[in-house]
Amino acid sequence: DQETLDPDDLDELRALGHHMLDDMFDRLTHLRERPVWHPVPERARRALQAPVPMEGEPVDAVYAQFVESIAQYSLGNDHPRFWGWVMGNGTPLGMLAEMLAAGMNPNVGGGEHAANYVEAQVIDWCKELLGFPPEASGLLVSGGSMANLLALAVARSRVPFDVRHEGLQAAPRHVTLYGSSEMHSSIQRAVEVLGLGSRNLRVIPVDRDDMINMAALRTMIVQDLEDGFQPLCLIANAGTTNTGAIDPLHEMADLAATYGMWLHVDGAFGALAVLSPELKPLVAGIERADSIAFDLHKWGYQPFEVGCTLVRDAQTHLATFSLTPEYLKHGERGTAGASLWFSDYGVELTRGFRALKVWMAFKVHGVDKLGRLARQNVEQARYLAELVERSPSLELLAPVALNVVCFRYSAPGLDERQTDALNEEVVIRLQEGGIAVPSGTRVRGRYAIRCAITNHRSRWEDFELLVQAVQRIGQELA
């Protein structure tokens, strides 16, 4: 007999599918009643360390294992009090869109099919929102790290020789790139992966507001020119990961133009401040970038994963990646007849239907509402900062430029090392107690409790609860 992976009884699986959907909506309904996070217990770990299953099990039994050992032990980023790292928490609509995308199961590398046009539409919307010209190009990717990598690969192609054919061995001079000490680690990783060498990535100090020091940047570029280097790219931050600081984008664009350099903006979450009329002035100048990287699964509130790279010069973008062997030849008719092949604009030939959830979110919620939610997150960050400043036992460690708040518990009689250790323990106890999930970082050498607020489910009282818990745990530890 011939076999297939379709079930013998599709209606039976349909019924289980409805049950799964009900379970996920029940989960969303009762999010606030659950702890934000708790560790995976040993029994669940053991259940997930079984030998490879050579024979199948009934699907309802496998789903029961999912409920028992997986669904209960998430990272917690769907919860209203999750503010760790920079993570969005998804939406019910996004969950359904993911199901629809998987049901269609298209490969959005190119070809004549609707999913291709949906991604093109989403990219056009992003270009419009960020002030890029219609003829610019873009690509949906897994997230900000890949978005940065692709953008810097396009910047690298601006060297005065055929880097694709000859490699960097043909470089007459070492090229240099410049970013602040607050730039994301994915920039260094991209520079290393692209063979540019992290020693050629100039790390510029920041000022008191964690913005790049423009005087130090200018001095470094002039010195590199005198020493025979070729300045290639400026990397600006539109919302640093640590504190949310925004570099002076207009000044950096002017400087890039002066020296003929590529300007890349890492706007992982901050770029989408453009969705809010009130926040948009904070990232003024972003529209002058040569490339922008940002995540729609952060302030776009979409389920993981969907990031975006925009590139002003579409021809340079295409020339960086395009490679079409005979077996992938683009046609004029038939399924290969599309004029746009996204596989020509990045490193992935096989690409999922990331665009559908974004398309549906923009259509159903409207960009104005997403902008209002971003503004709400910024207002919540300012409210949290006010609560911190009102408390004699709490200390704000960095200005609140956008939606990131860094603070700590400060007890009299403790030195810096003891204060750091106390606050590290506060973060762990908040997490292990299921109260809230901030993350930790260091700001000017001091350990900080860090809240990055990209959560559309958070309410004002959640931040009051956080502050009360930090004060209580801090007092207990001190």
Side-chain angles (χ1 to χ4, degrees):
D1 290 339
Q2 299 182 76
E3 292 190 292
T4 176
L5 293 175
D6 291 331
D8 294 332
D9 187 343
L10 197 57
D11 285 337
E12 185 178 317
L13 185 61
R14 184 201 304 266
L16 179 59
H18 284 294
H19 181 52
M20 292 173 174
L21 193 61
D22 286 341
D23 283 352
M24 295 312 293
F25 273 96
D26 286 345
R27 173 190 176 90
L28 292 171
T29 300
H30 299 290
L31 272 177
R32 284 190 168 273
E33 301 162 22
R34 297 172 44 231
V36 183
W37 175 85
H38 49 87
V40 181
E42 184 59 31
R43 61 170 178 76
R45 293 184 191 179
R46 286 197 303 270
L48 298 173
Q49 295 170 349
V52 60
M54 302 308 294
E55 297 293 332
E57 302 175 51
V59 64
D60 53 351
V62 175
Y63 179 62
Q65 293 168 27
F66 165 81
V67 172
E68 176 68 21
S69 301
I70 300 173
Q72 300 182 61
Y73 308 113
S74 70
L75 190 61
N77 53 294
D78 54 353
H79 195 282
R81 291 192 297 277
F82 190 101
W83 307 299
W85 302 280
V86 191
M87 292 193 189
N89 44 340
T91 65
L93 178 67
M95 177 180 69
L96 296 176
E98 291 281 65
M99 180 187 69
L100 296 175
M104 289 181 65
N105 195 35
N107 181 351
V108 197
E112 178 61 15
H113 58 122
N116 219 38
Y117 291 101
V118 174
E119 180 156 343
Q121 173 72 95
V122 167
I123 291 167
D124 282 346
W125 286 341
C126 290
K127 289 187 292 188
E128 182 179 346
L129 291 167
L130 284 149
F132 264 40
E135 62 271 17
S137 64
L139 192 70
L140 298 185
V141 295
S142 60
S145 294
M146 183 58 72
N148 282 327
L149 176 66
L150 294 189
L152 293 182
V154 181
R156 185 186 63 169
S157 70
R158 294 285 296 272
V159 294
F161 57 92
D162 186 352
V163 70
R164 288 189 65 171
H165 180 66
E166 300 180 38
L168 289 172
Q169 293 91 329
R173 296 183 291 166
H174 283 197
V175 297
T176 49
L177 304 92
Y178 306 80
S180 86
S181 57
E182 292 295 303
M183 64 184 158
H184 193 267
S185 60
S186 64
I187 297 291
Q188 178 180 333
R189 183 177 293 143
V191 166
E192 292 171 352
V193 167
L194 292 168
L196 295 165
S198 55
R199 73 173 183 175
N200 298 311
L201 176 60
R202 307 296 193 239
V203 179
I204 309 300
V206 294
D207 61 21
R208 291 181 59 188
D209 292 329
D210 293 325
M211 298 160 57
I212 193 167
N213 185 307
M214 290 300 295
L217 174 59
R218 291 187 182 93
T219 299
M220 179 62 74
I221 292 172
V222 170
Q223 185 64 55
D224 278 343
L225 285 167
E226 291 177 356
D227 292 342
F229 293 101
Q230 180 184 337
L232 176 70
C233 179
L234 296 185
I235 296 123
N237 295 300
T240 61
T241 301
N242 237 16
T243 65
I246 300 168
D247 287 332
L249 301 180
H250 274 304
E251 284 188 68
M252 294 188 76
D254 290 342
L255 190 62
T258 298
Y259 290 100
M261 300 170 68
W262 186 276
L263 176 63
H264 173 62
V265 175
D266 180 2
F269 58 94
L272 291 181
V274 298
L275 302 183
S276 163
E278 294 83 3
L279 301 180
K280 188 174 181 178
L282 297 175
V283 291
I286 196 169
E287 70 282 354
R288 298 176 62 188
D290 293 295
S291 57
I292 306 173
F294 58 97
D295 282 324
L296 288 150
H297 56 224
K298 289 176 181 169
W299 251 351
Y301 304 105
Q302 295 308 298
F304 291 112
E305 55 185 27
V306 57
C308 185
T309 304
L310 295 181
V311 179
R312 179 176 299 279
D313 185 344
Q315 285 305 116
T316 301
H317 188 182
L318 179 65
T320 302
F321 296 106
S322 181
L323 181 65
T324 307
E326 189 63 30
Y327 50 81
L328 293 175
K329 186 176 179 180
H330 308 168
E332 295 182 2
R333 298 174 58 196
T335 55
S339 59
L340 176 61
W341 285 73
F342 287 110
S343 57
D344 285 336
Y345 291 86
V347 297
E348 294 176 308
L349 177 59
T350 304
R351 306 180 65 254
F353 196 6
R354 298 182 178 108
L356 183 62
K357 57 194 171 189
V358 183
W359 181 84
M360 292 190 80
F362 279 24
K363 297 277 285 184
V364 171
H365 301 306
V367 169
D368 286 347
K369 184 169 186 178
L370 297 177
R372 290 196 300 272
L373 285 164
R375 186 186 71 216
Q376 177 175 283
N377 285 158
V378 172
E379 290 170 350
Q380 288 168 336
R382 292 169 181 166
Y383 180 61
L384 174 56
E386 289 174 11
L387 294 175
V388 167
E389 291 183 313
R390 283 185 217 155
S391 170
S393 59
L394 301 181
E395 179 184 3
L396 198 63
L397 294 184
V400 179
L402 205 58
N403 61 330
V404 180
V405 183
C406 293
F407 68 103
R408 69 175 180 174
Y409 184 89
S410 184
L414 299 184
D415 61 25
E416 285 295 323
R417 182 186 60 80
Q418 293 169 321
T419 300
D420 284 351
L422 181 147
N423 281 277
E424 287 189 59
E425 183 63 21
V426 168
V427 168
I428 295 299
R429 292 198 184 188
L430 287 168
Q431 295 172 354
E432 290 182 339
I435 300 165
V437 174
S439 52
T441 190
R442 287 193 176 273
V443 177
R444 284 174 277 281
R446 297 183 293 177
Y447 186 87
I449 302 168
R450 176 183 166 279
C451 292
I453 306 166
T454 50
N455 192 323
H456 66 87
R457 296 189 174 112
S458 298
R459 301 174 183 167
W460 304 107
E461 56 264 31
D462 291 316
F463 301 99
E464 295 165 3
L465 187 152
L466 170 69
V467 166
Q468 291 165 6
V470 170
Q471 291 171 322
R472 174 179 55 77
I473 296 169
Q475 288 170 2
E476 292 169 359
L477 292 171

